[in-house]
Amino acid sequence: MKIPYNKVLVQGQILFAARGGAIHTFSLTDGSYISSWKHPDVDKVADSIKAINEAKAEAALVVEADTPATESDGPPAKRQKLDGESESPSVSLEAETSTPMTAQDDMTRSGHFDGRGKKGKNKAGKDIDSGKPRFARVPDRPVITHLTSTPDGSHVLAVTGHDKVVWVFEHDGNGQLKQLSRRTMPKRPSAVAIGPDSQIICGDKFGDVYALPLIIPSDGSKSSVSLSSLQLPSKKGFKPTANTLTVHSKGNRLALLNQIKQAELANESKDAGNSASPDFELNLLLGHVSMLTALVLGEQQGRKYILTADRDEHIRVSRYIPHAHIIENFCFGHKEFINDMVISPTKQDILVSGGGDEHIFVWDWLAGKQLFKTNILSLAQEIAPETTTVAVSALYTLLYPSENGPLTYILAICEDIKAIFSWKLNEDNELHCPGIIQLPGKPLSLAISPSSDAPTVIAAIDPDVETKAQSLHAFRLTMTNGRLAVDVETSFKDKAVEAKEADISEDEARGLLYTVESLRKVVTSEQDEEAGSEVPQGTVDSDVAIDTGDGDE
């Protein structure tokens, strides 16, 4: 199979569609292909796969040539290569399968297998007996995890997760991209937004939120935006106010000790002159005590705010630069992780959030007040009765034109559910008129193209093999009794683009693109449950920050 499109963005009449490590642009007027940009590592992965396949073919010929054939024994059997033999070239583990596996440093991926722990090999992939490497490592496959742009579409921003790089492109308005900069962040970015002052606001897996200029001045000077009055946290002399007496859960006690140890090592490295600080302007704004999962920018009464959400069910409202260290409020009510948030375009004081809970929440975010919630699990069970939990992977807002002004709709997609769910946000800030738009595959990302008649939704989907549907799906909407439905479907001319994509196994594609459900925590034992200790599904994520007792949470 080909890796599907996983991120889409609309600006004017141009569609930006990310597929693996490449960004392709299409015209929304006729669906024609315009141009592409691809990550440099795309070619590295392709070359590695080619080399492995060539080694596999050569090894197969050697084995076949060395195998004796007799009339009585029938077809010759392939002879097993012994450890002491060196005539045939070594074949990688990836070559033994139809598609190479990659090493990802994110959380546990479903179906992922890279050969570690295989009998007869150590963790480095070497023979225990001979100590010789049996397989070469294929570079991590690049995947664009975030895609956004400035309101006027003049600049496009992308994030690639495997190398923690923030890419900035100049857009000419006609679908042509020019790379302006690439900046490697200290930790893997998990949420990103572009501020009104040309600042990139970027949150990472450690819970920290940074500001960096969108455009790097050509003379190498600092950006024109002043951050001098910002109180930046200092890692020097780190001493948390939390201790083993105030932190009661088993998981948090261990995490506290780990963070103290990491801070001590960082201080020692800094004292020794080995601090690997970024070579570009980067300002720390605020920090959560767990993985940051969502970030949006809001404005009320002439003041700007940064709204952040994390894996520990918190929504935090902080003031914008240069007072981001000031916490305005919290929105409490989620019982599971939060994965996405959106602010209503017609009511800037209304926030909608979703994640691992059964419900979608509506908030007055500045007051920290929950206004409404509606059950999304019951909707998912209408098309997938076996579903017991939902993981909201993304939320979107849509304005539908009407005689009395635009109507606000909230759209949601969930991991592994082949549908788009929609609700109408009424005047009382409640979600009504629930609708379900079924898709020929699992949605990975949506983009809305507004229109004076009816908006068009472009969906990047992971199509079922039997449906043979395109990964890029577009349809114009209609409204019936307040509910959204599909009116006309359109397509994009991406056959040539798809033909150039390398093949990928279904397990590897899932490991790269399906990461939301793994945010859910599970109780390890009755004793830990009493102590309130929870751990994420799968292996422990070393990138998750813990409570330092700084008063933020």
Side-chain angles (χ1 to χ4, degrees):
M1 62 173 289
K2 305 291 186 180
I3 188 169
Y5 291 97
N6 64 297
K7 292 294 176 182
V8 285
L9 170 72
V10 167
Q11 273 297 340
Q13 293 301 310
I14 302 297
L15 171 68
F16 302 90
R19 189 171 197 164
I23 301 175
H24 308 288
T25 59
F26 298 88
S27 170
L28 289 178
T29 57
D30 57 5
S32 60
Y33 164 77
I34 300 175
S35 68
S36 295
W37 171 90
K38 65 178 179 180
H39 193 289
D41 287 351
V42 172
D43 290 335
K44 293 181 181 179
V45 173
D47 292 342
S48 297
I49 295 174
K50 181 179 179 181
I52 289 171
N53 289 336
E54 290 176 351
K56 177 182 177 181
E58 184 177 352
L61 291 176
V62 171
V63 170
E64 183 177 356
D66 291 344
T67 303
T70 62
E71 295 181 0
S72 59
D73 293 337
K78 290 185 178 180
R79 181 173 59 85
Q80 297 294 325
K81 177 181 178 295
L82 301 178
D83 290 340
E85 294 178 348
S86 59
E87 293 84 357
S88 59
S90 61
V91 182
S92 69
L93 175 64
E94 288 87 347
E96 298 173 7
T97 59
S98 60
T99 306
M101 296 295 182
T102 61
Q104 298 293 332
D105 59 357
D106 208 340
M107 291 169 297
T108 299
R109 316 295 188 136
S110 174
H112 178 74
F113 175 71
D114 60 6
R116 288 176 291 183
K118 189 175 181 65
K119 184 177 180 181
K121 296 182 178 65
N122 60 16
K123 291 184 178 180
K126 298 181 179 180
D127 265 303
I128 294 176
D129 296 334
S130 64
K132 298 179 180 180
R134 290 285 306 275
F135 58 89
R137 179 180 177 275
V138 175
D140 290 342
R141 188 182 294 273
V143 174
I144 293 172
T145 58
H146 298 81
L147 190 63
T148 187
S149 70
T150 54
D152 60 0
S154 60
H155 293 86
V156 174
L157 184 148
V159 175
T160 45
H162 77 294
D163 55 3
K164 303 176 289 188
V165 171
V166 174
W167 305 81
V168 176
F169 305 91
E170 183 179 55
H171 177 224
D172 66 352
N174 298 313
Q176 300 292 335
L177 294 176
K178 176 185 177 182
Q179 180 184 322
L180 296 182
S181 64
R182 58 173 295 176
R183 282 166 277 184
T184 303
M185 299 296 291
K187 298 295 178 183
R188 182 192 296 265
S190 56
V192 68
I194 299 178
D197 49 5
S198 296
Q199 287 285 313
I200 300 172
I201 310 300
C202 180
D204 64 26
K205 284 168 60 66
F206 254 69
D208 291 331
V209 178
Y210 293 91
L212 57 157
L214 178 68
I215 306 299
I216 301 177
S218 57
D219 58 1
S221 62
K222 297 290 185 179
S223 64
S224 59
V225 179
S226 175
L227 303 177
S228 58
S229 59
L230 183 63
Q231 299 178 9
L232 301 180
S234 173
K235 291 186 177 180
K236 186 67 175 176
F238 172 81
K239 185 178 180 180
T241 56
N243 55 58
T244 55
L245 298 178
T246 60
V247 177
H248 301 293
S249 69
K250 179 180 177 181
N252 278 350
R253 283 198 302 270
L254 179 60
L256 176 62
L257 295 176
N258 287 337
Q259 184 163 348
I260 293 174
K261 183 177 180 180
Q262 290 173 5
E264 291 174 349
L265 292 175
N267 290 334
E268 292 174 1
S269 177
K270 184 176 181 180
D271 293 338
N274 298 326
S275 178
S277 58
D279 58 356
F280 54 88
E281 183 179 353
L282 186 66
N283 296 280
L284 178 63
L285 301 181
L286 57 94
H288 277 240
V289 297
S290 70
M291 181 193 298
L292 190 141
T293 55
L295 184 154
V296 294
L297 304 179
E299 183 174 355
Q300 276 292 290
Q301 302 172 358
R303 175 173 286 171
K304 300 179 181 65
Y305 297 89
I306 303 174
L307 286 72
T308 50
D310 61 32
R311 192 180 190 176
D312 285 344
E313 308 97 38
H314 304 126
I315 296 176
R316 170 178 165 178
V317 181
S318 307
R319 294 186 183 179
Y320 193 66
I321 301 170
H323 304 295
H325 59 286
I326 299 177
I327 300 174
E328 196 72 27
N329 222 323
F330 288 95
C331 298
F332 294 122
H334 281 273
K335 302 300 182 184
E336 293 286 350
F337 67 89
I338 304 161
N339 191 57
D340 203 7
M341 306 182 295
V342 290
I343 291 178
S344 168
T346 54
K347 297 181 178 181
Q348 292 293 311
D349 58 335
I350 300 301
L351 176 76
V352 181
S353 62
D357 291 281
E358 297 181 5
H359 296 85
I360 300 293
F361 291 78
V362 181
W363 309 88
D364 179 341
W365 56 266
L366 190 57
K369 181 180 179 182
Q370 180 182 316
L371 303 178
F372 187 78
K373 66 179 181 179
T374 186
N375 195 294
I376 187 174
L377 176 59
S378 60
L379 284 181
Q381 289 174 336
E382 291 187 21
I383 60 174
E386 71 283 358
T387 301
T388 57
T389 60
V390 290
V392 175
S393 52
L395 293 170
Y396 305 88
T397 59
L398 180 148
L399 294 178
Y400 197 95
S402 70
E403 296 179 354
N404 299 324
L407 304 176
T408 302
Y409 283 83
I410 303 297
L411 306 184
I413 57 175
C414 298
E415 201 166 73
D416 277 323
I417 304 295
K418 296 187 288 185
I420 300 173
F421 305 103
S422 65
W423 300 266
K424 179 182 176 182
L425 182 66
N426 64 15
E427 294 297 326
D428 296 326
N429 301 319
E430 297 178 347
L431 297 176
H432 289 283
C433 304
I436 303 175
I437 299 174
Q438 291 191 258
L439 299 173
K442 301 168 183 176
L444 301 173
S445 177
L446 301 181
I448 314 297
S449 177
S451 172
S452 58
D453 297 328
T456 297
V457 174
I458 295 94
I461 67 172
D462 183 5
D464 291 336
V465 177
E466 57 270 15
T467 62
K468 297 182 179 180
Q470 288 183 282
S471 178
L472 213 53
H473 212 69
F475 42 87
R476 191 174 65 186
L477 297 178
T478 185
M479 183 178 62
T480 304
N481 297 326
R483 289 178 169 81
L484 297 180
V486 175
D487 183 15
V488 178
E489 296 189 21
T490 57
S491 60
F492 292 91
K493 302 171 183 177
D494 67 334
K495 294 295 184 182
V497 174
E498 181 170 322
K500 295 179 182 179
E501 288 288 337
D503 290 330
I504 186 173
S505 70
E506 185 177 351
D507 285 345
E508 186 182 3
R510 184 169 184 84
L512 292 170
L513 305 177
Y514 292 79
T515 60
V516 180
E517 182 59 43
S518 58
L519 293 172
R520 194 180 303 277
K521 300 175 183 178
V522 293
V523 178
T524 56
S525 66
E526 294 182 1
Q527 289 81 4
D528 288 342
E529 183 175 10
E530 293 175 359
S533 174
E534 293 178 322
V535 298
Q537 290 181 341
T539 58
V540 177
D541 188 345
S542 60
D543 277 359
V544 179
I546 55 87
D547 192 347
T548 61
D550 59 4
D552 285 358
E553 295 291 302

